[in-house]
Amino acid sequence: MHLNSCASCSTELDLLRSFLEGEPTAEERADVEWLTRRLSETRLGEESTAAAPAPSWLDRFRDLFRTSGWAWAGAAAMAVLAVTVFVETQPPDLPGGLGGGSSIVRSGQLEVVAPIGDLAAPPESLQVKAWEGAVRYRFEVREMDRTLVWSSETDQPQIDLPEGVRAEAAPGRTLLWSAAALDGSGGVLAETQAIRFRVQTEATP
């Protein structure tokens, strides 16, 4: 799901796949053959000159990355993979209340009652199920581009919409609304996702 919505990560994954599945170029094959010969010569040199100090694994590793463009490509691909895995495994930030110097309080999922989806007429109110421990509820109505249309708070899990807000729900126009259950200090205990609703247009006879 993340790859479907993240252009950066999907591009990195495509680059990694092209590296792993693609055929090496003639230049890369030549580098590999040169490296193979070099390692063979080094091994023969160690056997014929016992007194000479053997190159360390670190020296061979440095030689590998100094001479082989293919090896550099492999290292870059592995770095991309490591970054991608790190990003994917980080826990998502969940909305919550922030106090002075306090940490984020992870919130629960507030259950929606109405309105949802296509409606015959503009809704008169917004309603969610009560959340245990909630002192107040915050309701918001937004346009599809997330521009705030209206916001208000109440001590009940339901709130009536002003006439002006109901007028914004013109037939065929989609709006979003959301709600959050708050504790005594204004921290978010639970909240809904953005809920879409739309007043249906009259059918043409």
Side-chain angles (χ1 to χ4, degrees):
M1 292 175 63
H2 177 77
L3 288 174
N4 290 335
S5 60
C6 180
S8 177
C9 289
S10 61
T11 299
E12 291 176 353
L13 182 59
D14 288 340
L15 289 174
L16 179 60
R17 283 174 175 166
S18 65
F19 167 75
L20 295 177
E21 298 173 0
E23 290 294 328
T25 64
E27 183 179 358
E28 291 171 340
R29 289 195 182 94
D31 287 337
V32 173
E33 292 174 359
W34 180 91
L35 179 60
T36 302
R37 288 196 304 271
R38 183 179 177 87
L39 293 176
S40 298
E41 292 169 359
T42 301
R43 189 179 304 108
L44 291 174
E46 291 175 351
E47 294 173 354
S48 61
T49 311
S56 67
W57 65 269
L58 182 58
D59 292 332
R60 294 182 180 180
F61 189 78
R62 287 172 177 168
D63 287 343
L64 171 65
F65 282 87
R66 275 199 296 265
T67 58
S68 177
W70 195 14
W72 274 116
M78 293 306 296
V80 169
L81 179 61
V83 171
T84 302
V85 171
F86 176 80
V87 171
E88 288 294 321
T89 54
Q90 298 309 298
D93 291 332
L94 297 179
L98 286 175
S102 64
S103 60
I104 295 178
V105 178
R106 298 189 181 277
S107 60
Q109 185 70 39
L110 196 58
E111 188 172 348
V112 175
V113 176
I116 302 174
D118 290 338
L119 310 173
E124 296 184 357
S125 63
L126 307 177
Q127 184 178 0
V128 295
K129 287 193 174 181
W131 188 270
E132 184 177 358
V135 176
R136 296 187 66 77
Y137 295 85
R138 181 175 63 236
F139 292 87
E140 294 180 349
V141 176
R142 295 179 180 270
E143 296 181 2
M144 287 297 293
D145 62 0
R146 306 292 175 168
T147 300
L148 183 64
V149 174
W150 172 82
S151 177
S152 186
E153 293 186 7
T154 176
D155 58 359
Q156 298 297 318
Q158 179 176 349
I159 191 169
D160 292 334
L161 289 175
E163 192 61 36
V165 178
R166 298 184 70 239
E168 293 288 335
R173 182 185 182 188
T174 301
L175 294 176
L176 306 173
W177 74 275
S178 61
L182 312 177
D183 59 21
S185 62
V188 176
L189 299 175
E191 58 188 348
T192 68
Q193 297 178 343
I195 309 302
R196 298 187 183 193
F197 70 93
R198 180 184 62 178
V199 177
Q200 292 179 320
T201 57
E202 295 183 1
T204 303

